[in-house]
Amino acid sequence: MFTYKPLTCDLAKAVQVPVNGPLVEVHLTDHSDLPVSVTNRRKAAYTVLNESYQNYAERIRNLTVHADDLWVITAPKCGTTWTQEMMWLLDHNLDYQRANEVNLLRRSIFLEFSTLVPSFEQDTIELVDRMERPRHIKSHLPMALLPKQLWTVRPRIVYCARNPKDMVTSFYHHYQHLHGYNGSKETFFEAILQDLVMYQPQIPHTLDFWSISNEPNVLFLHFEQMKRNMYSVLKEASAFLGKSYTNQQLQSLEKHLSFDVMKDNNSANHSELLRMMKSMSGVDVDKDFQFMRKGQVGSHREELEPEYITRLTNYIEQGLKGCTFQFME
């Protein structure tokens, strides 16, 4: 069902970190269970993960999916946490009290987390399997590695895309402070261009979900859209869930989801995750570092060299060649 290609080149080794272990490419060999829109276009996207993922791949692929599930799927650093909090509150009648009392890590469980961090004491796949329904589940896995029942049971799926130029800068800081990467910025960015970093490549990951974006059980969002006009996104997401809220309720939710409020919300800003990763990896997390760091559109211009932006632009254009989809700027 799956094949694994160890990544042994010097550049791949340079971006490996002890908390995750050696990296491999993970490929699904049989694509017959995937949506026709993907299989007609090309083979579904593979992804770079760690060696320990091999021990869990079949369990994830065969996970039981329920029709009342809500799955938040994104590439890393593409508005995942923001989308999780938004969709959980909309789906739970704006229950701010419960959202404050129960950390987002437990309200919307990260399916494959324990496969990525072998030292984590809990089995997140089992936690998802035992969640109280209706379940909210988060994953960064590409379509080919997700549970095959997603395409037959057809639960609600929310996907959020983000421009790779901003993703790469955010992911670099994430890799430093959560995974313990201590190599150079230039090495990390070069590894992104060669698809040698965890969860890469991003572009085909997004295109697979764009190809099913017209399905009634799929809501496809853009990070930039949420940043520029969150109110319209809340209206769209409410309709997707079959919910009806007043303008005042949506305005209050928009304020709750604003970056300045979210970054200080300890129930949703992943400060707990930072503490967990520090204890497991031994990484000395900068006391001023926050999981929700900037949340800006176009922040790559402040951190990337012009030469690299040009190379990344060419990389994106090549990845989107022949497609109608475009990332927002």
Side-chain angles (χ1 to χ4, degrees):
M1 182 67 80
F2 293 101
T3 59
Y4 304 94
K5 176 186 174 183
L7 297 178
T8 58
C9 66
D10 290 342
L11 185 57
K13 289 180 178 179
V15 293
Q16 290 176 5
V17 290
V19 70
N20 302 127
L23 301 178
V24 296
E25 283 184 11
V26 185
H27 296 258
L28 179 69
T29 56
D30 180 4
H31 295 81
S32 61
D33 292 325
L34 297 177
V36 173
S37 59
V38 174
T39 55
N40 281 350
R41 183 163 55 88
R42 55 169 176 75
K43 286 187 176 181
Y46 71 91
T47 199
V48 173
L49 291 167
N50 54 340
E51 278 187 349
S52 72
Y53 186 82
Q54 300 174 62
N55 301 322
Y56 302 89
E58 294 290 348
R59 284 182 59 203
I60 291 177
R61 184 81 175 135
N62 294 310
L63 183 78
T64 298
V65 173
H66 301 291
D68 57 358
D69 285 347
L70 188 147
W71 290 69
V72 172
I73 302 171
T74 73
K77 311 311 294 180
C78 292
T80 323
T81 306
W82 207 11
T83 306
Q84 286 174 275
E85 181 76 352
M86 175 181 73
M87 298 309 300
W88 191 93
L89 282 164
L90 288 173
D91 201 30
H92 290 82
N93 301 316
L94 306 181
D95 189 348
Y96 294 104
Q97 181 176 343
R98 187 178 170 204
N100 183 60
E101 293 171 350
V102 182
N103 196 283
L104 184 61
L105 294 171
R106 288 174 283 281
R107 287 185 277 124
S108 182
I109 294 179
F110 187 178
L111 174 64
E112 68 269 18
F113 183 77
S114 57
T115 76
L116 308 177
V117 186
S119 60
F120 187 54
E121 60 186 13
Q122 293 180 291
D123 183 332
T124 49
I125 303 168
E126 182 180 348
L127 290 178
V128 166
D129 212 23
R130 294 191 285 107
M131 281 181 80
E132 180 183 349
R133 293 170 58 188
R135 306 180 302 182
H136 277 229
I137 303 162
K138 159 192 168 179
S139 180
H140 293 314
L141 294 174
M143 183 180 285
L145 274 59
L146 286 163
K148 60 187 176 184
Q149 286 188 8
L150 280 173
W151 323 119
T152 54
V153 176
R154 297 169 63 83
R156 300 164 296 172
I157 298 172
V158 182
Y159 189 91
C160 189
R162 188 183 189 185
N163 193 300
K165 295 176 186 177
D166 287 335
M167 180 284 297
V168 67
T169 54
S170 183
F171 203 15
Y172 166 68
H173 293 286
H174 180 101
Y175 235 62
Q176 271 190 311
H177 294 284
L178 269 80
H179 295 254
Y181 172 71
N182 57 14
S184 71
K185 184 185 296 187
E186 291 74 20
T187 296
F188 183 85
F189 292 161
E190 184 64 34
I192 287 283
L193 289 176
Q194 296 191 35
D195 300 329
L196 295 172
V197 178
M198 289 268 277
Y199 283 118
Q200 300 307 298
Q202 176 194 359
I203 295 172
H205 186 297
T206 300
L207 292 180
D208 280 350
F209 282 92
W210 175 250
S211 74
I212 61 169
S213 60
N214 290 327
E215 296 294 325
N217 66 309
V218 177
L219 176 63
F220 192 100
L221 302 172
H222 292 262
F223 177 94
E224 296 79 7
Q225 174 190 13
M226 293 169 68
K227 190 69 180 177
R228 293 187 175 117
N229 195 347
M230 175 58 90
Y231 186 81
S232 69
V233 172
L234 293 178
K235 295 281 284 187
E236 183 181 4
S238 299
F240 173 72
L241 295 173
K243 300 282 188 176
S244 179
Y245 295 107
T246 66
N247 289 341
Q248 185 175 359
Q249 285 176 314
L250 293 182
Q251 287 167 1
S252 295
L253 179 57
E254 183 178 16
K255 182 177 180 180
H256 174 84
L257 295 168
S258 67
F259 185 82
D260 287 341
V261 173
M262 279 282 289
K263 73 177 183 179
D264 293 328
N265 178 0
N266 288 332
S267 182
N269 64 9
H270 284 345
S271 54
E272 183 174 328
L273 177 62
L274 283 172
R275 289 192 294 271
M276 285 167 44
M277 289 299 291
K278 181 177 181 178
S279 67
M280 288 183 289
S281 66
V283 176
D284 187 16
V285 178
D286 183 342
K287 63 180 177 62
D288 295 323
F289 177 76
Q290 291 180 294
F291 186 93
M292 302 188 72
R293 195 178 58 89
K294 285 188 176 180
Q296 296 177 351
V297 173
S299 61
H300 66 275
R301 298 185 186 94
E302 302 169 8
E303 299 197 44
L304 300 180
E305 295 296 328
E307 179 187 355
Y308 184 80
I309 293 177
T310 299
R311 293 181 65 203
L312 188 52
T313 299
N314 293 336
Y315 170 86
I316 295 168
E317 289 176 353
Q318 187 62 35
L320 296 179
K321 193 173 182 179
C323 300
T324 57
F325 174 81
Q326 293 293 318
F327 288 101
M328 289 187 176
E329 295 282 351

